[in-house]
Amino acid sequence: MPTASNEYWTWERDKRRKGLVSRKEALTPRLRDGLPFPFPPEIEKLSKEVVSTAVLGKNPNEGGGRIYLLEFRGPGQPGQYVKLGSVIDNYRRRVLQHRRIARVHGFALVDAWISDQVPDPTKLESALRNLLRISHREHDGEYFLNSDIDKAASLAAATVEAWRTQLAGPAPEQGGAQAPDVGGRLGLDVSAGGGGEDRGGDLGGGGVGERAAVGDARHSAAAASLSVADGSLPA
């Protein structure tokens, strides 16, 4: 449930991110042209600040499960991608690993969304990956090419909220716990059989700020059965 403290930190993150987005767009032409290693200080500074801003006001402990979205930009086509992932120990170490791998190929970390601590982040990542695949045709595993991190982050925030709501609900009947049905909580049109219909990236509006309510991220995905129990959808 939102609190005054949560609302303040959401406002502060969104305020800081406006400046970071402006810097990201200003640096993009240089990244598109290709930059030699090491990257100039202003790009390295941006990479660090987008991460610190993404976790501002959230649990400062580097341990604990989280899911994350990282946007990288660089040369060639596609010149940008969003990496989805989860971590159960140290998010800073994981982000640094991705930065190092991308840097070798001329791509810089230019934006980020990182959740607060969540239970069972691996299953939550699987559910979110399936939802993103429904909406974004250009994907390779957990990499979403030419993706808009704002729309992806709005869906991610809504997915986390649905996950928490499901876990906070009534205890399951005797006979074994059921995995949360995140797809149903997000208002997805679910029916038996078939694969997800591509919706051309229509995830609703909004920015990375967690103000986006679950309803803002709702969209129809015909025949997409999204139980987190197996987290499976046709690629």
Side-chain angles (χ1 to χ4, degrees):
M1 178 175 294
T3 65
S5 177
N6 288 340
E7 290 177 357
Y8 167 77
W9 287 117
T10 297
W11 173 82
E12 185 65 27
R13 283 192 296 271
D14 288 349
K15 182 184 70 171
R16 294 190 184 192
R17 188 172 175 276
K18 288 180 181 178
L20 295 175
V21 169
S22 295
R23 288 161 56 189
K24 171 177 74 172
E25 298 302 335
L27 291 170
T28 293
R30 296 171 61 187
L31 288 166
R32 291 278 193 266
D33 291 339
L35 288 173
F37 182 82
F39 287 151
E42 56 268 32
I43 291 180
E44 295 289 2
K45 183 179 180 181
L46 175 65
S47 296
K48 294 177 181 177
E49 290 185 13
V50 295
V51 174
S52 61
T53 298
V55 297
L56 186 67
K58 300 179 181 179
N59 193 321
N61 184 356
E62 293 187 2
R66 300 176 194 260
I67 59 171
Y68 58 83
L69 295 163
L70 305 175
E71 181 185 1
F72 295 87
R73 293 188 180 182
Q77 288 295 329
Q80 67 186 68
Y81 64 89
V82 171
K83 167 71 171 70
L84 165 67
S86 63
V87 62
I88 59 174
D89 47 18
N90 188 311
Y91 71 88
R92 291 187 186 277
R93 184 182 301 126
R94 182 66 60 82
V95 170
L96 183 59
Q97 290 172 347
H98 290 310
R99 282 183 59 195
R100 287 172 174 166
I101 293 171
R103 223 164 19 199
V104 172
H105 303 284
F107 282 74
L109 175 62
V110 295
D111 214 336
W113 178 91
I114 302 174
S115 77
D116 207 332
Q117 294 180 349
V118 294
D120 209 341
T122 302
K123 285 185 177 179
L124 184 54
E125 177 197 353
S126 180
L128 179 57
R129 180 172 63 249
N130 290 336
L131 293 170
L132 289 171
R133 285 179 176 182
I134 292 170
S135 314
H136 193 77
R137 187 180 299 276
E138 296 180 85
H139 59 77
D140 185 359
E142 68 275 20
Y143 293 86
F144 295 85
L145 312 179
N146 290 316
S147 180
D148 185 334
I149 193 173
D150 286 352
K151 293 180 180 179
S154 291
L155 183 57
T159 304
V160 170
E161 182 178 340
W163 178 255
R164 294 189 188 280
T165 300
Q166 181 82 10
L167 292 180
E173 296 180 3
Q174 193 171 8
Q178 293 181 342
D181 179 10
V182 173
R185 287 281 178 175
L186 289 176
L188 290 171
D189 178 19
V190 295
S191 57
E197 175 187 0
D198 192 292
R199 303 297 296 174
D202 182 15
L203 299 181
V208 165
E210 291 88 333
R211 300 167 196 252
V214 172
D216 293 334
R218 289 181 178 174
H219 59 99
S220 174
S225 181
L226 293 175
S227 171
V228 186
D230 57 14
S232 60
L233 266 186

